[in-house]
Amino acid sequence: MGETLRYRVDGMDCASCARKIETAVTRIEGVGEVAVNATAQTLRLSAPDAARADVEAAVRGLGYGIAPLAAGAPSAEEPAWWRAPKAQLALACALGLAAAFALGHVLPAYEAAAYTAAMLIGLVPIARRALSAARAGAPFTIETLMSIAAIGAVIIGETEEAAIVVLLFLVGELLEGVAAGRARAGIRALTALVPKTALLEREGGLAVVEAASLVPGDVIVVRPGDRIPADGAVLSGESAVDEAPVTGESVPRPKAPGDGVFAGTINTDASLRVRVTAEAQDNTIARVVRLVEEAQEAKAPTERFIDRFARIYTPAVLALGLLVATLPPLVAGEPWIEWVYKGLAILLIGCPCALVISTPAAIAAGLAAGARRGLLIKGGAVLEILGRVDAVALDKTGTLTESRPVVTDVVGFGCGEAEVLEDAAALDATSSHPIAKAVIARAEAEGVPVTPAIGVMALGGKGVKGRARRRALFLGAPPAAAAIAPFGAEVEARIAALQGEGKTVSVLMVAERPAGLIAVRDEPREDAAEGLRALERLGIAPVMLTGDNATTAAAIAERLGIAAHAELLPQDKMRLVDKLKAEGRIVAKVGDGINDAPALAAAHVGIAMGGGTDVALETGDAAALNGRVSDVARMVRLSRDTMANIRQNIAVALGLKAVFLVTTVLGITGLWPAILADTGATVLVTLNAMRLLGAGRSA
């Protein structure tokens, strides 16, 4: 059984390069499961260790640099573009062309030889790559077309144009590499958020250590203004943490003991002691980068179609160039030189790079833009289908709501609300029950003193009792309270009204008499209503699926303005998703990634809500890391923007080729303008795709 090998491949800047490498490596004996990512410049494959040397030799033979990458390690930093081999080769060719131009003016007899020598500076590496690709099973490459066109131009005496065409090709490759580097930087910038060092508690003091050396269980101190160097949990201290670099959340989140923190986020207010919970290669940022890079390896349906089309397109261009070069002279007696020249120009026009890169460049930029906004989308296929979603099924608890109860109503009978809160908080002061926490939070928010009651005893399924200020207190469910003393009509009516709004009601009994009511409910997220309206504006019908009781579901649904199905088991949610699909809808299911697993799997797209947890990252086809309902609409808009970008790219790639094809056959343009039909289009297509990164920042 082969092991998984991972490499960085320098100089692989487009899908055409990736296809050549994939073809060459796949032919090596023992190699399987090859995944090439041109955007991240990575190669991942399964192969026995004995095949390692053959893999590296095959990639180097194609003209690319290759170096092993450690498992889980992000792609390394790139050198400045002017230090890259492509830049050095283009510069050498440009100097050769300038020297040939000068020599041609001084010694005209040597002009042709000088331009031929200048051309060979750039053409020899190109031709070597073409031969290596042909031997590796990829004979129809851009290098092949380029080599034939340049050699043909020399044969018919157009040495100056041949040299210019080779230089323009090299400059186009250089610009393509620079633009692709910008795309890689978009996602690599995330890894730069993690600081290089950390303050580690050691032997009663603090030591500065490499952040990469931290292991789970280490305790670190994060000072105000510092970036947090590792994923962890707060041990002591309270502060606000700016999570915008990771999740895109603009408002710093308060952190207290027990709360989780992410590597790369910024501690703003006070020092925190944090216990490390993940090694550097497994922190949230590293996992997001790794998942995005793996997603970029998964081709979208449009990308697969363009790939198949390009495999036919390139040989067809060779055949067309041959026909243009030979038929007019053979059939109509036209001049050979003129039509061979036009045939060579058609080879340059027909180079497939711009067309092949039109889709993966946009997909890669879209995925990176999403990741920078806390929208993790796992692959081009998911990104593509998101734009066609017209129905979204959302879970209630933890998706549309905060998944924690809050006190909504405090009612006093013969006493004030503050007194009711004080007595209820006295009973709940030491409890970890979610409703008790809600009561304490409300009391603290209103400045009500919390003095623990004495003799507190929990009564399973009924409530809690104790004594405070020499009075017997009970706080619990209405039936249990009614068993202590009967309620009057007013109390019964208020309980019924609150329960009718989907709220859970607790009755406070003081000296065996009803003194007040406290109602709690899991309230909608702050952005839930606006997030649902955003979906509707995109032409998407949202629906709520919940296992909660019908009364609570109806109250939340009415408040949010959404249709609801309640009291559903997991299989019921899946059945409703299947029903929507049977109606011809493209369905996205949004949930917490655990109890919604069957429905998430049944939907066309499963979106997990969460704050960067393992579940949110690993479950479903996409994840909204900061748990905002409005992020679902942002995903759809990003998908639609990406697909529009792809259509623009294909139009540019094919449109420029069509224009130059006509002008070449008519004799208006020649060889060097023809190369712009591909290298120029390639650069335009890549730069157009990069606009998505800017859109991701402003979304």
Side-chain angles (χ1 to χ4, degrees):
M1 186 69 179
E3 60 177 308
T4 298
L5 307 179
R6 193 163 179 259
Y7 294 96
R8 172 185 166 85
V9 181
D10 292 317
M12 178 176 63
D13 294 319
C14 73
S16 181
C17 303
R19 192 168 68 240
K20 282 183 291 187
I21 292 171
E22 184 176 356
T23 301
V25 171
T26 303
R27 291 162 63 96
I28 297 172
E29 185 176 354
V31 170
E33 299 180 25
V34 177
V36 186
N37 186 343
T39 305
Q41 288 191 319
T42 59
L43 166 65
R44 182 169 51 84
L45 57 108
S46 174
D49 194 57
R52 186 187 295 268
D54 293 336
V55 169
E56 295 175 7
V59 174
R60 290 194 182 98
L62 293 172
Y64 302 100
I66 183 169
L69 273 178
S75 301
E77 279 295 319
E78 298 181 37
W81 66 267
W82 61 85
R83 295 180 179 173
K86 287 182 178 181
Q88 295 168 5
L89 181 58
L91 177 61
C93 190
L95 292 174
L97 183 61
F101 177 79
L103 185 62
H105 278 71
V106 176
L107 300 170
Y110 294 97
E111 183 180 52
Y115 279 121
T116 301
M119 179 206 69
L120 289 173
I121 293 173
L123 185 63
V124 168
I126 294 170
R128 188 181 295 129
R129 279 152 50 192
L131 289 172
S132 296
R135 286 196 298 267
F140 301 112
T141 64
I142 186 172
E143 289 83 4
T144 301
L145 299 179
M146 188 68 230
S147 300
I148 294 172
I151 293 169
V154 171
I155 292 172
I156 64 174
E158 298 290 345
T159 54
E160 182 179 358
E161 282 208 61
I164 292 173
V165 162
V166 169
L167 175 60
L168 288 174
F169 175 78
L170 294 174
V171 171
E173 277 201 323
L174 175 61
L175 292 175
E176 182 182 308
V178 171
R182 284 188 58 197
R184 285 188 288 274
I187 190 66
R188 191 181 292 119
L190 285 173
T191 62
L193 296 174
V194 181
K196 302 296 184 185
T197 61
L199 286 175
L200 175 68
E201 287 191 357
R202 179 185 289 170
E203 298 175 358
L206 294 177
V208 178
V209 300
E210 293 288 327
S213 69
L214 296 174
V215 297
D218 284 347
V219 176
I220 56 176
V221 173
V222 185
R223 298 169 301 192
D226 285 353
R227 289 188 182 272
I228 297 174
D231 281 7
V234 177
L235 286 179
S236 62
E238 293 186 5
S239 182
V241 173
D242 180 2
E243 297 183 347
V246 177
T247 68
E249 181 63 56
S250 58
V251 180
R253 292 189 175 182
K255 299 292 181 178
D259 291 339
V261 292
F262 302 142
T265 54
I266 303 168
N267 180 27
T268 62
D269 294 339
S271 290
L272 293 174
R273 290 179 67 244
V274 176
R275 184 180 299 280
V276 175
T277 58
E279 295 182 358
Q281 66 267 28
D282 291 322
N283 67 38
T284 299
I285 286 180
R287 284 184 289 139
V288 167
V289 171
R290 189 159 60 246
L291 286 167
V292 170
E293 290 187 348
E294 288 172 2
Q296 289 170 347
E297 294 169 2
K299 294 182 179 180
T302 302
E303 184 177 353
R304 288 196 294 269
F305 169 76
I306 294 293
D307 248 1
R308 291 195 301 270
F309 178 73
R311 292 175 192 271
I312 302 168
Y313 172 84
T314 308
V317 166
L318 269 171
L320 177 62
L322 180 63
L323 290 174
V324 168
T326 58
L327 279 184
L330 290 174
V331 174
E334 295 287 333
W336 277 97
I337 295 294
E338 177 186 342
W339 286 95
V340 168
Y341 180 88
K342 291 179 179 179
L344 295 175
I346 284 173
L347 294 186
L348 298 178
I349 293 168
C351 291
C353 260
L355 182 63
V356 170
I357 203 174
S358 60
T359 299
I363 292 289
L367 293 172
R372 285 158 51 160
R373 298 294 299 171
L375 311 176
L376 182 63
I377 301 169
K378 299 184 181 179
V382 178
L383 182 60
E384 186 169 326
I385 199 171
L386 270 167
R388 297 192 286 120
V389 165
D390 58 9
V392 174
L394 302 103
D395 183 38
K396 179 182 76 71
T397 306
T399 299
L400 290 171
T401 68
E402 294 284 2
S403 191
R404 65 174 185 270
V406 296
V407 174
T408 58
D409 301 86
V410 179
V411 180
F413 300 119
C415 59
E417 293 182 6
E419 190 175 345
V420 173
L421 262 181
E422 184 176 0
D423 286 338
L427 290 171
D428 286 335
T430 59
S431 174
S432 59
H433 192 281
I435 292 179
K437 290 182 178 180
V439 170
I440 298 300
R442 177 67 175 265
E444 291 176 346
E446 296 194 4
V448 173
V450 179
T451 304
I454 60 174
V456 175
M457 179 183 298
L459 307 173
K462 297 180 180 179
V464 60
K465 68 176 183 178
R467 295 186 66 82
R469 291 181 289 172
R470 300 183 179 181
R471 297 169 303 150
L473 305 178
F474 171 84
L475 181 67
I484 297 174
F487 302 152
E490 180 189 1
V491 176
E492 293 279 8
R494 294 302 297 271
I495 291 173
L498 291 170
Q499 289 177 334
E501 295 172 4
K503 298 171 182 176
T504 299
V505 180
S506 296
V507 181
L508 175 69
M509 304 290 287
V510 177
E512 298 187 352
R513 294 181 59 186
L517 305 176
I518 291 181
V520 300
R521 185 169 64 185
D522 183 11
E523 290 291 273
R525 291 180 183 271
E526 186 177 347
D527 76 322
E530 175 53 33
L532 295 174
R533 301 296 82 77
L535 288 172
E536 291 169 350
R537 287 193 293 270
L538 292 170
I540 298 170
V543 61
M544 183 173 78
L545 308 182
T546 178
D548 212 337
N549 66 76
T551 302
T552 300
I556 295 293
E558 181 180 2
R559 183 168 172 183
L560 295 178
I562 184 175
H565 298 271
E567 301 180 3
L568 302 175
L569 296 173
Q571 58 267 34
D572 298 324
K573 295 180 182 181
M574 185 175 70
R575 176 180 51 78
L576 287 170
V577 167
D578 286 337
K579 181 182 177 183
L580 288 171
K581 290 169 64 179
E583 294 171 358
R585 299 294 193 101
I586 303 297
V587 184
K589 175 66 177 73
V590 187
D592 62 12
I594 303 174
N595 58 5
D596 288 313
L600 285 168
H604 292 101
V605 181
I607 301 173
M609 298 286 279
T613 62
D614 287 339
V615 169
L617 287 174
E618 308 296 345
T619 307
D621 304 303
L625 300 187
N626 46 26
R628 292 189 297 228
V629 178
S630 53
D631 281 346
V632 180
R634 289 190 179 95
M635 284 186 186
V636 174
R637 281 199 300 271
L638 178 62
S639 169
R640 293 181 182 179
D641 289 346
T642 302
M643 297 311 297
N645 194 282
I646 288 172
R647 289 190 290 271
Q648 294 163 7
N649 286 347
I650 293 173
V652 168
L654 293 180
L656 273 178
K657 291 180 187 301
V659 169
F660 278 94
L661 180 63
V662 172
T663 57
T664 298
V665 172
L666 294 176
I668 299 171
T669 56
L671 283 178
W672 71 264
I675 194 67
L676 295 178
D678 190 71
T679 56
T682 300
V683 173
L684 287 175
V685 160
T686 307
L687 292 177
N688 186 48
M690 293 307 98
R691 292 191 306 111
L692 290 168
L693 292 174
R697 284 192 292 270
S698 60

